[in-house]
Amino acid sequence: MPTNEQRRKAAKRKLERQIERRAERAKRRRQRLALISVVAVVAVVAVAAGIYFLVSGPSEPEPVAAPACQYNPSEPAAKPNTPPDPNPPATGTVNVDLQTSQGAIPLTLDRASAPCAVNAVVSLASQGFYDDTPCPRLVTGQGLQVLQCGDPTGSGAGGPGYQYAEEPPQGLPPYPGAEGQASTYARGLVAMAKSSQPGSTGSQFFLVYGDSALPPEYSVIGRIATEGLAVLDRVGAGGDDGSNQAGGGAPNIPVQIQRAVVAAPPAP
């Protein structure tokens, strides 16, 4: 029969085992709770990420806008220059003074009328491309009265080393007697020359001193001041030598552009 001492020791061992079992159960319970918490957090993050990507979708690069003007390389430049910015302003005017051997021919160029062509002419003038160059062709016939300039070689075939698309003028009246075939390029207009091929505008331009019949394919870039028209009238009255097979020829009163000066923009 166990003694009191033995019974106390047995009771103590039993209590110790109960305490150990309770501690073990508490430890397992804490581990389960921790695992559940981790799983819950991961699930919340996954759901949030799924919602974000579902709503936002895959990111796509912003489209790059094409340049407003395409200055395409062509024949070698008649004079060194750098092509202009392909994204020019399309509003406002620019004053360019052609200081010639026969007197000043001031021009007011209108960007809204032909922004790519005005941009090119202003760029070339600013780089001295037109300085010390002849105006090689004068036409004095009825229905076409123009002085053509802008080719440093004087041959009528030179250009800036690039070409670009025409910007056909809008609203030109038909030429009397040639309705449906030609428009009136009125006295005082400045327009860009080109070949018979589309997209062949370059550096050459013509100054209209008498109403002229042309198809509306030549970009109108601005107007000639009154004092400039007086110079052109005098040159036109001198006639041409008839050397150009397409009409007209070298002016009998030679015209040399000494400088093309672009006026500084007005202060803001």
Side-chain angles (χ1 to χ4, degrees):
M1 188 173 181
T3 64
N4 290 336
E5 182 64 25
Q6 291 174 333
R7 283 195 295 270
R8 281 196 301 269
K9 289 181 179 181
K12 182 180 179 182
R13 286 195 297 269
K14 182 178 180 182
L15 179 60
E16 289 173 349
R17 286 195 298 271
Q18 289 174 346
I19 291 172
E20 290 175 357
R21 285 195 294 270
R22 290 194 193 104
E24 184 64 28
R25 285 196 297 269
K27 180 180 178 181
R28 288 197 295 267
R29 186 163 56 249
R30 286 194 302 270
Q31 290 175 338
R32 285 197 301 271
L33 290 174
L35 179 61
I36 291 171
S37 298
V38 170
V39 171
V41 169
V42 171
V44 169
V45 171
V47 170
I51 292 173
Y52 171 80
F53 286 112
L54 181 63
V55 172
S56 63
S59 61
E60 296 181 356
E62 291 292 329
V64 177
C69 306
Q70 299 281 350
Y71 298 110
N72 303 307
S74 58
E75 76 287 337
K79 199 172 182 179
N81 72 95
T82 301
D85 183 343
N87 293 294
T91 59
T93 59
V94 184
N95 294 325
V96 178
D97 186 18
L98 300 181
Q99 300 173 0
T100 81
S101 56
Q102 298 303 322
I105 305 177
L107 312 176
T108 299
L109 308 185
D110 182 3
R111 292 188 185 277
S113 177
C116 296
V118 170
N119 186 47
V121 170
V122 170
S123 172
L124 292 169
S126 299
Q127 297 179 68
F129 183 86
Y130 296 122
D131 296 353
D132 300 317
T133 64
C135 293
R137 184 186 180 199
L138 176 72
V139 184
T140 59
Q142 181 66 31
L144 188 59
Q145 297 181 344
V146 301
L147 177 67
Q148 187 165 328
C149 311
D151 171 14
T153 69
S155 67
Y162 58 82
Q163 294 180 328
Y164 50 98
E166 290 68 51
E167 298 162 282
Q170 303 297 317
L172 294 182
Y175 191 82
E179 289 82 357
Q181 300 178 37
S183 296
T184 298
Y185 279 71
R187 169 179 167 86
L189 291 182
V190 186
M192 299 304 294
K194 71 178 192 69
S195 73
S196 59
Q197 299 300 314
S200 57
T201 300
S203 61
Q204 296 188 46
F205 57 89
F206 55 90
L207 307 169
V208 184
Y209 67 93
D211 288 359
S212 298
L214 290 165
E217 301 170 355
Y218 301 86
S219 307
V220 172
I221 62 173
R223 300 195 67 84
I224 308 164
T226 302
E227 57 266 43
L229 285 171
V231 172
L232 293 171
D233 288 341
R234 180 162 48 83
V235 172
D240 64 82
D241 66 3
S243 60
N244 194 302
Q245 293 183 352
N252 292 326
I253 301 175
V255 181
Q256 181 90 356
I257 298 176
Q258 297 163 333
R259 286 190 67 203
V261 181
V262 179

